Amino acid sequence: MEHLFTPYKLKSLELKNRVVMPPMCQYSVTKKDGIATDWHYIHYVSRAIGGASLIIIEMTDVEPDGRITDNDLGLWSDEQIPALKRIVDACHQHGAKVGIQIAHAGRKAEDAAEPVAPSAIPFDENSKTPRELTVDEIQEMVEKFRRAVARAVEAGVDAIELHGAHGYLIHEFQSAYTNKRTDEYGQDLAKFGREVIQAAKNEIPDDMPLIFRISGKEFVDGGYGIKEAVELTKEYKAAGVDMFHVSAGGEGQIAAHGRPGTHAAYQVPLAREIKHTLDVPVIAVGRLDEPVLANAVVGNEDADLVAVGRGMLRNPYWTLEAATKLRKETTFPQQYAVSFPEARKQ
């Protein structure tokens, strides 16, 4: 039976265990130039030392006005490649593989003078009203995603993740709640996502996995549920996605009756439904910080990989601690051997 420390392989991506560090924005680009800093280096490399098998670098944006804030990472310029490559190379030295989340914040770009979106609908009453993209601008946006993916490949990453969740630009196009267009990009809600996927596939090696993060349910009146999410993932799988990273929400203020659960693993059923309906690998995420629970998600075949976010923010060595608690063998830094006797790999 598979468990949290069973190795995993998807195309050329070979992982020593099933633990993923999911993308979590650090808002720490102090010069506002999109270039990773020493904070990012320490932040990610410490989790590689701590045993995570796959580290997905935070939301990295395809243009300056595509950032949530001006303190976010970017890949709209070749000047941003070396700092990311330094992180990737160091993580590799400590046994971790690295993905990166390529994105555009759309109407949730807080610092943009004029955010853009599929339709001119603000996120809330405190947000700027975005400008509706023209068809020509949409096609230019697809090209910006393509170039950002190409730069990520040059930086040496092992996988690409496209951000189609949490109410950002790709999600805005795929949701009838935020996309009120009457043209081809409104009549076919998956069209923009498919085009970005196809652009990314043109830039990554054939054996590199393409991951797509999707909200499996929208917690707003008029939002989509898992049934519609499954249909979207079918479209995206056909376009070339190899794995789905299944989250939820983010497209609007949460309606009182639609508030998501606060219990552990509340998003796992969404991942399980997509995995088994499409027969496709998935990453589960959301309050999975307890090692016994994370192990059960894999053992029960609810997901192939488990993303541990806040738990890994609290403890960079979460993976090594989990191995000790579960009494599973894993690789660990030789310098720390005396502290992890139960997890020692012979």
Side-chain angles (χ1 to χ4, degrees):
M1 182 178 294
E2 294 179 342
H3 55 75
L4 198 60
F5 289 89
T6 304
Y8 182 77
K9 187 176 190 300
L10 178 63
K11 289 188 165 182
S12 64
L13 183 67
E14 297 188 26
L15 304 177
K16 60 185 178 181
N17 60 50
R18 306 301 183 92
V19 182
V20 177
M21 180 185 184
M24 293 174 284
C25 288
Q26 297 297 292
Y27 306 110
S28 296
V29 182
T30 51
K31 294 183 179 180
K32 301 184 178 182
D33 56 6
I35 297 175
T37 66
D38 284 346
W39 172 263
H40 297 95
Y41 181 87
I42 295 168
H43 173 64
Y44 291 113
V45 178
S46 62
R47 275 70 186 181
I49 294 171
S53 66
L54 175 61
I55 292 168
I56 304 178
I57 293 173
E58 67 203 76
M59 180 171 171
T60 303
D61 300 292
V62 303
E63 66 173 0
D65 283 345
R67 294 173 289 181
I68 303 172
T69 77
D70 287 347
N71 299 109
D72 294 350
L73 292 179
L75 262 179
W76 61 80
S77 167
D78 290 349
E79 295 178 355
Q80 294 155 340
I81 296 173
L84 287 173
K85 188 176 189 307
R86 176 173 175 249
I87 293 170
V88 173
D89 290 347
C91 288
H92 285 166
Q93 289 176 11
H94 295 289
K97 301 300 173 66
V98 183
I100 189 168
Q101 186 182 76
I102 305 299
H104 189 292
R107 68 177 187 164
K108 296 176 79 172
E110 297 173 7
D111 289 342
E114 184 181 50
V116 295
S119 300
I121 304 171
F123 175 65
D124 59 23
E125 64 277 6
N126 298 315
S127 301
K128 300 169 186 173
T129 299
R131 179 176 58 78
E132 181 175 306
L133 289 162
T134 68
V135 171
D136 286 345
E137 288 172 330
I138 293 171
Q139 292 166 357
E140 290 171 4
M141 190 67 71
V142 172
E143 175 64 11
K144 291 175 182 178
F145 270 90
R146 184 194 66 75
R147 291 198 295 264
V149 168
R151 293 186 180 102
V153 171
E154 187 174 342
V157 300
D158 304 287
I160 296 292
E161 177 172 290
L162 298 175
H163 200 350
H166 301 166
Y168 300 119
L169 188 63
I170 297 176
H171 184 173
E172 291 166 19
F173 271 95
Q174 74 195 18
S175 172
Y177 179 79
T178 48
N179 184 349
K180 305 298 183 181
R181 303 176 70 97
T182 57
D183 63 10
E184 56 189 330
Y185 287 97
Q187 295 163 4
D188 180 356
L189 296 178
K191 180 176 173 59
F192 179 68
R194 284 199 314 271
E195 290 181 349
V196 172
I197 290 164
Q198 290 159 355
K201 294 291 284 188
N202 287 337
E203 292 300 331
I204 65 176
D206 290 342
D207 60 351
M208 179 183 286
L210 180 64
I211 305 168
F212 190 98
R213 197 169 207 193
I214 190 166
S215 287
K217 181 178 181 179
E218 294 183 307
F219 295 107
V220 290
D221 288 325
Y224 68 71
I226 186 59
K227 179 180 177 181
E228 292 80 9
V230 166
E231 293 306 310
L232 286 167
T233 52
K234 286 179 180 177
E235 293 265 5
Y236 296 155
K237 180 184 177 184
V241 171
D242 299 296
M243 171 177 270
F244 291 96
H245 190 171
V246 186
S247 187
E251 67 300 311
Q253 296 300 323
I254 297 170
H257 75 275
R259 188 175 300 280
T262 57
H263 54 280
Y266 75 96
Q267 293 177 156
V268 169
L270 304 173
R272 180 175 58 238
E273 183 70 16
I274 289 172
K275 173 179 173 61
H276 292 291
T277 302
L278 274 69
D279 188 25
V280 65
V282 301
I283 306 171
V285 66
R287 297 181 63 86
L288 300 174
D289 297 349
E290 170 53 49
V292 172
L293 175 58
N295 191 53
V297 170
V298 175
N300 291 332
E301 299 183 352
D302 293 326
D304 301 271
L305 305 176
V306 175
V308 178
R310 288 176 177 82
M312 217 171 281
L313 289 181
R314 291 191 297 270
N315 179 7
Y317 309 104
W318 184 94
T319 308
L320 299 180
E321 294 281 7
T324 298
K325 184 169 186 177
L326 297 170
R327 295 187 174 273
K328 301 295 185 183
E329 290 186 348
T330 189
T331 56
F332 58 90
Q334 189 61 36
Q335 297 90 332
Y336 296 167
V338 67
S339 300
F340 298 99
E342 297 90 345
R344 186 172 300 172
K345 188 161 188 174
Q346 303 300 327

